[in-house]
Amino acid sequence: MKAAQTIRQLGFRKWYERELIHSHAHLVLLVLSAVGLLGSAEVYSGSAPLADQLLTVACATASAAIGLWALRRYVYLLMHAEHIANQAVCPQCDAYAKWLPVDEDARYKRLSVRCKRCECCWDIDL
């Protein structure tokens, strides 16, 4: 329930902003790992000594693994933030992100919220 605790501490808007920043930081890591992978491909030479070839392949493998991890993390964080943001609209007055957390259910990963404008209550699936 890290998301619920962070939303309680910071508020939804700051939590959402931080989630987007974290996800895009992983996108930057993905680009850097792609540059590392391309650099390894450029440096690789079949006529180089075996130790140099193995080092180049190890660097390329590490860059590919980091890139794959960064891509998966980027997509997860972005989709998780969007999933919660799509539920942040009051069903009665259509106010976006104008709510206060009331209760959290760790078992079902749900956050009960109350609208600041119309006092409507609804659940947000985390």
Side-chain angles (χ1 to χ4, degrees), residues 59-71:
C59 290
T61 304
S63 294
I66 291 169
L68 182 61
W69 176 81
L71 177 64

Side-chain angles (χ1 to χ4, degrees), residues 6 11 18 20 24-25 32 34 36 47 52 58 66 70 85 92 97-98 101 106:
T6 309
R18 284 186 179 193
L20 292 180
H24 285 85
L32 292 175
S47 62
D52 290 344
I66 291 169
Q92 283 187 354
K98 301 279 186 196

Side-chain angles (χ1 to χ4, degrees), residues 4 7 14 17 31 46-47 49 64 70 76-78 82 87-89 95-98 102 105-106 113-114:
I7 289 172
K14 287 215 183 255
E17 179 183 343
V31 170
S47 62
Y76 170 76
L77 289 172
L78 189 64
E82 289 300 314
Q87 302 174 65
V89 179
Y96 177 72
K98 301 279 186 196
V102 177
D105 187 359
V113 296
R114 187 183 77 241

Side-chain angles (χ1 to χ4, degrees), residues 3 14 19 25-26 28 30 33 43 47 51-52 59 62 65 77 80 83 89-91 100 112:
K14 287 215 183 255
E19 285 294 301
H26 284 88
V28 170
L30 173 63
S33 67
V43 168
S47 62
D52 290 344
C59 290
L77 289 172
H80 183 246
H83 173 71
V89 179
C90 177
L100 294 171
S112 297

Side-chain angles (χ1 to χ4, degrees), residues 97-112:
K98 301 279 186 196
W99 46 264
L100 294 171
V102 177
D103 190 26
E104 61 186 79
D105 187 359
R107 182 175 176 200
Y108 294 109
K109 294 185 179 179
R110 206 173 279 157
L111 182 66
S112 297

